[in-house]
Amino acid sequence: MEIEIAKSAGFCFGVERAVATVYEQLKQGRPIYTYGPIVHNEEVVRELEERVVKVITDENALSEITPEENAIVIIRAHGVSEKVYNMTT
């Protein structure tokens, strides 16, 4: 079997932007959460977790982030519902 990699292989624009946003925000030194895994790539998610980026998966966890924590919440590349989005703004 022959395997060829397309010239344009890699992350799509949305995934690339989401991952870049997390890395850029890490420079702030604030706690960072992603709502759901930032991308569907276990290796990337694992590396970010090693850098103390926490994944939250439901509205209850989102509502437990306090203003005093001064955290950053980043929405995953695939988006969230309008209700969840409004909770993060």
Side-chain angles (χ1 to χ4, degrees), residues 57-69:
T57 57
D58 62 54
E59 295 171 24
N60 292 329
L62 184 61
S63 66
E64 292 174 9
I65 299 171
T66 65
E68 295 78 27
E69 194 173 353

Side-chain angles (χ1 to χ4, degrees), residues 19-34 43-55:
V19 172
T21 298
V22 175
Y23 281 108
E24 185 64 32
Q25 292 303 313
L26 280 167
K27 297 174 186 175
Q28 301 294 319
R30 294 167 50 193
I32 296 180
Y33 295 87
T34 64
E43 191 172 320
V44 171
V45 172
R46 188 172 36 257
E47 182 191 332
L48 292 173
E49 287 176 340
E50 289 171 3
R51 294 178 180 238
V52 196
V53 175
K54 298 176 185 135
V55 177

